Amino acid sequence: MSLLLIKQLAFTRTIRPVAFIAGRYYTSGAVEAGSLITRLKDDRKTFMKTKKQPDLNVVKGLLSDFTYHTKSENFKEGTSEDQALMSVLQKAIKRRQDSIGQYESGGRPELAEQEREELKVLQGYLPEQMSSELIETELREIIHDVGATSMRDMGKVMKAWKHDSAVADRKLVSDIIKKLLE
């Protein structure tokens, strides 16, 4: 091996792990065509061209949060790109929902409305959500299969719940479980 190649390898290994280098996020060949990150980048270009500034700010912020998340210390190397982005997206949605409540309680309806608009943009990137009726029917089956009878068995039911939190909100699921086990 040449000395230059050894220095380059040593430099890249001290900065980033090899697994992260292989899965770069900003090269055109490393990203799947139908992935969420590609959709966000395409939407960013579209919003720039159409000058939709509020939507553009939301998408840019989400991409920035995603980049920060992937470079943070608590990022797990085995996590897929879409899972990491979905986690960042859910956190952004929760942040907007909390802000709406705080702005409304603080008497700032104009800021709450701005947050609602941003929330609509973010929710457009979520997969289709399960209805509460469908969640309830599946939970009834799980409760029957697990044999849950009281609130003490709630952990067993939540463990048996196999759907991603992007499809069914965990808070809604736990509220329905509480209602069914009472």
Side-chain angles (χ1 to χ4, degrees):
M1 254 195 233
S2 71
L3 185 61
L4 180 63
L5 183 62
I6 292 172
K7 285 182 178 179
Q8 287 176 342
L9 287 173
F11 177 73
T12 56
R13 286 192 179 131
T14 58
I15 301 296
R16 294 185 187 130
V18 176
F20 186 82
I21 295 170
R24 293 184 186 188
Y25 292 104
Y26 293 103
T27 59
S28 59
V31 179
E32 299 173 16
S35 71
L36 188 56
I37 191 83
T38 305
R39 184 174 160 212
L40 278 169
K41 289 180 180 182
D42 290 344
D43 286 351
R44 179 180 58 185
K45 290 177 191 173
T46 305
F47 293 149
M48 283 181 178
K49 290 176 183 175
T50 59
K51 299 189 191 296
K52 286 187 173 181
Q53 198 61 40
D55 296 351
L56 176 63
N57 290 341
V58 172
V59 172
K60 279 179 153 181
L62 190 60
L63 287 169
S64 173
D65 290 347
F66 173 69
T67 304
Y68 179 77
H69 176 74
T70 57
K71 292 181 180 182
S72 69
E73 292 178 6
N74 58 357
F75 177 69
K76 297 175 185 160
E77 287 298 321
T79 307
S80 75
E81 185 176 78
D82 282 339
Q83 287 175 337
L85 186 57
M86 196 57 64
S87 170
V88 170
L89 179 63
Q90 288 171 342
K91 287 177 187 174
I93 287 173
K94 184 157 181 63
R95 198 173 339 144
R96 298 303 191 295
Q97 290 170 340
D98 291 343
S99 296
I100 289 170
Q102 289 178 357
Y103 286 142
E104 287 176 344
S105 66
R108 299 294 305 264
E110 69 280 358
L111 293 175
E113 186 59 36
Q114 179 183 354
E115 292 289 325
R116 277 192 197 89
E117 293 298 320
E118 291 179 2
L119 183 62
K120 286 178 188 175
V121 173
L122 290 172
Q123 286 175 337
Y125 294 104
L126 283 176
E128 188 175 335
Q129 300 289 302
M130 291 177 70
S131 67
S132 58
E133 294 83 21
L134 181 61
I135 293 172
E136 187 171 341
T137 56
E138 290 196 25
L139 284 174
R140 285 185 192 277
E141 292 174 16
I142 292 172
I143 288 172
H144 178 72
D145 293 342
V146 172
T149 56
S150 67
M151 285 299 293
R152 289 184 178 192
D153 299 325
M154 184 174 173
K156 293 178 186 176
V157 176
M158 287 296 284
K159 194 177 222 181
W161 179 257
K162 297 296 180 194
H163 294 285
D164 189 19
S165 60
V167 177
D169 184 33
R170 292 279 184 188
K171 184 175 185 326
L172 177 63
V173 171
S174 67
D175 290 343
I176 292 174
I177 292 172
K178 288 175 186 174
K179 184 180 84 172
L180 292 174
L181 290 178
E182 287 180 341

